[in-house]
Amino acid sequence: MIFPSDEKPNQAMDFRKAWSKALKAAVISEKDILNPDGSVKVEKFTFHCLRHGFCSALSDSGKEINQIAKLAGHKSIQTTLRYIHQGREQKRQIVNELAQTFSL
C-alpha cells in the first residue's frame, strides 16, 4: 500500500480532509462556480485534476507521449492524449519551431 493510514496501517489513508484543507488554503473552490444562466463558469478542482496537470506539464517540458503514458500508468496512448492539455503558448512555439525548420 502506497499511503497507509496512520491509525489503521492495513487501510488506505483518507485524503478528503487534507485535500479540502489544501483547497481552502489555496482559495480554490470545491464546487462548480456557475454563471447566472446555470452553466458552469469554473469547474471544481478535484484530486483527479492533478493527473491532467502532471501529463500536461510533462508534455510542455518536451517529453515524448510514450514516456508520459508510462509515467501516468496508461496502457493506451489514446488515454494519455485525453490527459494532455496544451496551452496557446505551447502551440505557438510548436508552429514557430516548424516554421524555422522549413525556413518559413
Side-chain angles (χ1 to χ4, degrees):
M1 186 171 306
I2 297 174
F3 298 108
S5 168
D6 290 335
E7 296 84 31
K8 300 177 184 176
N10 293 334
Q11 292 184 359
M13 178 188 292
D14 184 356
F15 283 95
R16 287 177 286 203
K17 287 181 184 176
W19 180 249
S20 181
K21 187 176 177 180
L23 289 177
K24 284 179 186 170
V27 192
I28 297 173
S29 178
E30 289 186 82
K31 298 178 181 174
D32 289 341
I33 299 172
L34 304 177
N35 290 311
D37 67 359
S39 61
V40 177
K41 180 177 183 179
V42 179
E43 193 173 328
K44 67 182 176 180
F45 191 79
T46 65
F47 194 76
H48 184 78
C49 293
L50 297 175
R51 290 180 62 90
H52 291 269
F54 174 73
C55 292
S56 293
L58 289 172
S59 175
D60 290 348
S61 70
K63 300 300 180 252
E64 296 291 329
I65 190 81
N66 61 332
Q67 295 171 315
I68 298 169
K70 191 168 194 167
L71 289 168
H74 297 152
K75 293 179 183 176
S76 164
I77 296 297
Q78 294 301 326
T79 301
T80 307
L81 290 173
R82 289 194 304 262
Y83 278 81
I84 295 173
H85 307 287
Q86 295 178 331
R88 178 179 287 176
E89 187 55 41
Q90 185 186 16
K91 291 175 186 174
R92 184 182 329 229
Q93 181 181 349
I94 291 168
V95 171
N96 288 340
E97 288 172 3
L98 185 61
Q100 284 181 330
T101 300
F102 291 101
S103 301
L104 299 174

